[in-house]
Amino acid sequence: MNILIVLAALFFFFAAAYLFARSQKNNGLVDVFWGLGFVFSSLVALLLGRPAGALPLVVTALVAVWGLRLTWFLARRNWGKAEDYRYANMRKSWNPATFELRMFVQIYLLQMALNFVINLPSIVLNLQGQPGWTWLTTIGLFVWLTGFGFEAVGDRQMRRFKADPANRGKLITTGLWRYTRHPNYFGESLLWWGIFLMAASHGQRLWLVISPLVITLFLLFVSGVPMLEKKYAGRPDWETYKARTSCFFPLPPRKSKAI
């Protein structure tokens, strides 16, 4: 089956990413390859399926725009820098004798599996095709554009904030960050809901809802929100910000007393 060929190609992609990161002694580089994995599997599926119509091409383009932007953003932030603290802590705490195998299986293969599952709407659409454009397709595109805007603008606001020496040690609480503590994660979740709506816009393949569900739950409860919230927990400025600002969904700031 073509879908197994896509999965096998993605395995070799992440294996190559692992070998490169290992040569650099920096497993944080896997984050840079994360977005590229989506672009890669979408293109492989498109070449295998050769679907008719504009929709597969549009969805592939949306995945590519998102994946390449994220790759560029993370490469500018991480390339040439010290290994991210998460992976550095693993290097220190894991058994050296099994470190490389555990890193490959627990980090790279897990990311490969998540990459594949989250990108299923694009992969399946490219392998099987879908007739025509519906009103639900248009809604899906609007949802994607909204989500992409939140992620891209949120990342840009954060980068500019950190680039100002006057903000060293401070929290960003302006722009989109005034309405949600994680506008970039909210945006990433939302855009995958948009791609799902486009891929299932004829009322078929509703099982592909697994894609936005997985990324939303993963960001909310596993690697995104919890890790950052834990990092800042206990800081007075963070607790004040947390008390008045929505965690995930953008909402007007709540009134709260300063801590």
Side-chain angles (χ1 to χ4, degrees):
M1 293 176 63
N2 283 339
I3 197 166
L4 295 180
I5 296 176
V6 176
L7 182 59
L10 199 58
F11 171 84
F12 286 110
F13 175 88
F14 274 93
Y18 164 73
L19 292 174
F20 178 77
R22 183 180 180 183
S23 72
Q24 300 299 307
K25 295 182 171 60
N26 185 352
N27 286 298
L29 294 177
V30 69
D31 295 338
V32 178
F33 287 95
W34 170 253
L36 281 180
F38 290 89
V39 182
F40 177 74
S41 58
S42 289
L43 289 176
V44 170
L46 188 69
L47 292 173
L48 288 172
R50 299 183 181 276
L55 185 56
L57 294 175
V58 171
V59 169
T60 300
L62 297 180
V63 171
V65 167
W66 169 78
L68 293 175
R69 187 212 70 86
L70 183 62
T71 298
W72 173 244
F73 174 79
L74 293 175
R76 291 179 67 187
R77 190 182 72 181
N78 297 346
W79 208 274
K81 304 289 179 61
E83 190 171 47
D84 183 274
Y85 75 94
R86 297 167 296 168
Y87 303 104
N89 288 340
M90 294 173 190
R91 192 179 293 277
K92 293 176 183 177
S93 60
W94 289 1
N95 184 347
T98 58
F99 173 79
E100 293 298 342
L101 177 61
R102 184 177 177 185
M103 176 60 64
F104 179 66
V105 173
Q106 191 168 322
I107 301 300
Y108 289 82
L109 290 190
L110 175 60
Q111 289 213 20
M112 179 207 75
L114 287 170
N115 207 287
F116 179 76
V117 170
I118 295 166
N119 202 30
L120 274 174
S122 173
I123 293 170
V124 172
L125 181 64
N126 285 345
L127 290 177
Q128 299 179 1
Q130 180 166 293
W133 192 285
T134 71
W135 61 270
L136 192 56
T137 313
T138 302
I139 291 177
L141 178 59
F142 176 77
V143 171
W144 185 92
L145 289 170
T146 304
F148 182 79
F150 264 88
E151 183 174 23
V153 172
D155 283 342
R156 183 177 179 84
Q157 289 174 344
M158 174 64 81
R159 183 172 60 84
R160 286 186 169 182
F161 181 84
K162 287 187 172 182
D164 186 347
N167 294 324
R168 191 175 186 85
K170 296 181 181 179
L171 296 173
I172 181 173
T173 60
T174 57
L176 294 179
W177 301 84
R178 183 171 183 263
Y179 304 99
T180 165
R181 302 198 296 272
H182 304 281
N184 48 350
Y185 292 152
F186 169 75
E188 184 164 341
S189 168
L190 190 63
L191 67 85
W192 284 106
W193 282 101
I195 288 178
F196 159 69
L197 289 175
M198 296 179 77
S201 57
H202 281 264
Q204 303 170 346
R205 310 184 188 122
L206 296 180
W207 63 272
L208 291 174
V209 72
I210 189 175
S211 162
L213 281 177
V214 166
I215 186 62
T216 301
L217 294 174
F218 196 76
L219 290 173
L220 272 174
F221 301 111
V222 183
S223 75
V225 171
M227 293 186 72
L228 282 179
E229 300 267 314
K230 183 179 179 180
K231 180 179 179 181
Y232 292 107
R235 278 181 47 167
D237 55 347
W238 170 258
E239 297 302 329
T240 300
Y241 175 58
K242 182 177 178 180
R244 68 169 181 259
T245 309
S246 172
C247 176
F248 196 70
F249 297 97
L251 294 171
R254 297 182 292 267
K255 293 183 179 180
S256 62
K257 296 181 180 179
I259 296 175

Coordinates of all heavy atoms in Angstrom, one line a residue, residues 222-256:
V222 N 0.8 17.3 27.1 CA 2.1 16.6 27.0 C 3.3 17.5 26.9 O 4.0 17.7 27.9 CB 2.1 15.5 25.9 CG1 3.3 14.6 26.0 CG2 0.8 14.6 26.1
S223 N 3.6 17.9 25.7 CA 4.8 18.6 25.5 C 4.8 20.1 25.3 O 5.8 20.7 25.5 CB 5.5 18.0 24.2 OG 4.8 18.6 23.0
G224 N 3.7 20.6 25.0 CA 3.6 22.1 24.8 C 3.4 22.9 26.0 O 4.3 23.4 26.7
V225 N 2.1 23.1 26.3 CA 1.7 23.9 27.5 C 2.3 23.4 28.8 O 2.9 24.3 29.5 CB 0.2 24.0 27.5 CG1 -0.3 24.7 28.8 CG2 -0.4 24.7 26.3
P226 N 2.2 22.1 29.2 CA 2.7 21.7 30.5 C 4.1 22.0 30.7 O 4.5 22.5 31.8 CB 2.4 20.2 30.5 CG 1.3 20.0 29.5 CD 1.6 21.0 28.4
M227 N 5.0 21.8 29.7 CA 6.4 22.0 29.9 C 6.8 23.5 30.2 O 7.6 23.8 31.1 CB 7.2 21.5 28.7 CG 7.1 20.0 28.6 SD 8.2 19.3 27.3 CE 9.8 19.6 28.0
L228 N 6.1 24.4 29.4 CA 6.4 25.8 29.6 C 5.8 26.3 30.9 O 6.4 27.1 31.6 CB 5.9 26.6 28.4 CG 6.8 26.6 27.2 CD1 6.1 27.4 26.1 CD2 8.1 27.1 27.5
E229 N 4.6 25.8 31.2 CA 3.9 26.3 32.5 C 4.8 25.8 33.7 O 4.9 26.6 34.7 CB 2.5 25.7 32.6 CG 1.6 26.1 31.4 CD 0.8 27.3 31.7 OE1 0.2 27.3 32.8 OE2 0.7 28.2 30.8
K230 N 5.3 24.6 33.6 CA 6.2 24.1 34.7 C 7.4 25.0 34.8 O 7.9 25.2 36.0 CB 6.5 22.7 34.5 CG 7.3 22.0 35.6 CD 7.6 20.6 35.3 CE 8.4 19.9 36.4 NZ 8.7 18.5 36.1
K231 N 8.0 25.4 33.7 CA 9.2 26.1 33.7 C 9.1 27.5 34.5 O 10.0 27.9 35.1 CB 9.6 26.4 32.2 CG 10.9 27.2 32.1 CD 11.3 27.4 30.6 CE 12.5 28.2 30.5 NZ 12.9 28.4 29.0
Y232 N 7.9 28.1 34.3 CA 7.8 29.4 35.0 C 7.0 29.4 36.3 O 6.8 30.4 36.9 CB 7.0 30.4 34.0 CG 7.9 30.7 32.8 CD1 7.6 30.1 31.5 CD2 8.9 31.6 32.9 CE1 8.3 30.5 30.4 CE2 9.7 31.9 31.7 CZ 9.4 31.3 30.5 OH 10.2 31.6 29.4
A233 N 6.5 28.2 36.7 CA 5.6 28.1 37.9 C 6.4 28.7 39.1 O 7.5 28.4 39.3 CB 5.3 26.7 38.1
G234 N 5.6 29.5 39.8 CA 6.2 30.0 41.1 C 6.7 31.4 40.9 O 6.9 32.1 42.0
R235 N 7.0 31.9 39.7 CA 7.5 33.2 39.5 C 6.3 34.2 39.8 O 5.2 34.0 39.2 CB 8.0 33.4 38.1 CG 9.4 33.0 37.9 CD 9.9 33.2 36.5 NE 9.7 34.5 36.0 CZ 10.2 35.0 34.9 NH1 11.1 34.3 34.2 NH2 9.9 36.2 34.4
P236 N 6.5 35.3 40.6 CA 5.4 36.2 40.9 C 4.8 36.8 39.6 O 3.6 36.9 39.5 CB 6.1 37.2 41.8 CG 7.2 36.5 42.4 CD 7.7 35.6 41.4
D237 N 5.7 37.2 38.7 CA 5.1 37.8 37.5 C 4.3 36.8 36.6 O 3.3 37.2 36.0 CB 6.2 38.5 36.6 CG 7.4 37.5 36.3 OD1 7.4 36.4 36.9 OD2 8.2 37.9 35.4
W238 N 4.8 35.6 36.6 CA 4.1 34.5 35.9 C 2.7 34.2 36.6 O 1.7 34.1 35.9 CB 4.9 33.2 35.9 CG 4.1 32.1 35.3 CD1 3.6 31.1 36.0 CD2 3.8 31.8 33.9 NE1 2.9 30.2 35.2 CE2 3.1 30.6 33.9 CE3 4.1 32.5 32.7 CZ2 2.6 30.1 32.7 CZ3 3.6 31.9 31.6 CH2 2.8 30.8 31.5
E239 N 2.7 34.1 37.9 CA 1.4 33.8 38.6 C 0.4 35.0 38.3 O -0.8 34.7 38.2 CB 1.7 33.6 40.1 CG 2.6 32.4 40.4 CD 2.0 31.1 39.8 OE1 0.8 31.0 39.7 OE2 2.8 30.2 39.5
T240 N 0.9 36.2 38.3 CA 0.0 37.3 38.0 C -0.5 37.2 36.6 O -1.7 37.4 36.3 CB 0.7 38.7 38.2 OG1 1.2 38.8 39.5 CG2 -0.2 39.8 37.9
Y241 N 0.4 37.0 35.7 CA 0.0 36.8 34.3 C -1.0 35.6 34.1 O -2.0 35.7 33.4 CB 1.3 36.6 33.4 CG 1.1 36.3 32.0 CD1 0.4 37.2 31.1 CD2 1.6 35.2 31.4 CE1 0.2 36.9 29.8 CE2 1.5 34.9 30.1 CZ 0.8 35.8 29.3 OH 0.6 35.5 27.9
K242 N -0.7 34.5 34.8 CA -1.5 33.3 34.7 C -2.9 33.6 35.2 O -3.9 33.0 34.6 CB -0.8 32.2 35.4 CG -1.5 30.9 35.4 CD -0.7 29.8 36.2 CE -1.4 28.5 36.2 NZ -0.6 27.5 36.9
A243 N -3.0 34.4 36.3 CA -4.3 34.6 36.9 C -5.3 35.4 36.0 O -6.5 35.3 36.1 CB -4.1 35.4 38.2
R244 N -4.7 36.2 35.1 CA -5.6 37.1 34.3 C -5.7 36.7 32.8 O -6.5 37.2 32.1 CB -5.1 38.5 34.4 CG -3.8 38.8 33.7 CD -3.5 40.3 33.6 NE -2.2 40.6 33.0 CZ -1.1 40.9 33.6 NH1 -1.1 41.0 34.9 NH2 0.0 41.2 32.9
T245 N -4.8 35.7 32.4 CA -4.7 35.4 31.0 C -5.1 34.0 30.7 O -4.7 33.0 31.4 CB -3.3 35.6 30.4 OG1 -2.9 36.9 30.8 CG2 -3.2 35.5 28.9
S246 N -6.0 33.8 29.7 CA -6.4 32.4 29.3 C -5.2 31.6 28.9 O -4.3 32.0 28.4 CB -7.4 32.6 28.1 OG -7.7 31.3 27.6
C247 N -5.3 30.3 29.3 CA -4.2 29.4 29.0 C -4.1 29.1 27.5 O -3.0 29.2 27.0 CB -4.4 28.1 29.7 SG -3.2 26.8 29.4
F248 N -5.1 28.8 26.8 CA -5.0 28.3 25.5 C -5.9 29.1 24.5 O -5.4 29.7 23.5 CB -5.4 26.8 25.4 CG -5.0 26.1 24.2 CD1 -3.6 25.9 23.9 CD2 -5.9 25.6 23.3 CE1 -3.2 25.2 22.8 CE2 -5.6 24.9 22.1 CZ -4.2 24.7 21.9
F249 N -7.2 29.1 24.7 CA -8.1 29.7 23.8 C -8.1 31.2 24.1 O -8.2 31.7 25.2 CB -9.6 29.2 24.0 CG -9.7 27.8 23.7 CD1 -9.7 26.8 24.6 CD2 -9.9 27.4 22.3 CE1 -9.8 25.4 24.3 CE2 -10.0 26.0 22.0 CZ -9.9 25.1 23.0
P250 N -8.0 32.1 23.1 CA -7.9 33.5 23.3 C -9.2 34.1 23.9 O -10.3 33.9 23.4 CB -7.7 34.1 21.9 CG -7.2 32.9 21.1 CD -7.8 31.7 21.7
L251 N -9.0 34.8 25.0 CA -10.2 35.4 25.7 C -9.7 36.8 26.2 O -8.5 37.0 26.4 CB -10.6 34.5 26.9 CG -11.3 33.2 26.5 CD1 -11.4 32.3 27.8 CD2 -12.6 33.3 25.8
P252 N -10.7 37.7 26.5 CA -10.3 39.0 27.1 C -9.6 38.7 28.4 O -10.0 37.8 29.2 CB -11.7 39.7 27.2 CG -12.5 39.0 26.2 CD -12.1 37.6 26.1
P253 N -8.6 39.5 28.8 CA -8.0 39.3 30.1 C -8.9 39.5 31.2 O -9.8 40.3 31.2 CB -6.9 40.5 30.1 CG -6.7 40.8 28.7 CD -8.1 40.6 28.0
R254 N -8.7 38.7 32.3 CA -9.6 38.7 33.5 C -9.0 39.8 34.4 O -7.8 40.0 34.4 CB -9.6 37.4 34.2 CG -10.2 36.2 33.4 CD -10.2 35.0 34.2 NE -8.8 34.5 34.4 CZ -8.2 33.6 33.6 NH1 -8.9 33.1 32.5 NH2 -7.0 33.1 33.9
K255 N -9.8 40.4 35.2 CA -9.3 41.3 36.2 C -8.8 40.5 37.4 O -9.5 39.6 37.9 CB -10.5 42.2 36.7 CG -10.9 43.2 35.6 CD -12.0 44.1 36.1 CE -12.4 45.1 35.0 NZ -13.5 46.1 35.6
S256 N -7.7 40.8 37.9 CA -7.1 40.1 39.0 C -6.2 41.0 39.8 O -5.7 42.0 39.3 CB -6.3 38.9 38.5 OG -5.2 39.3 37.7

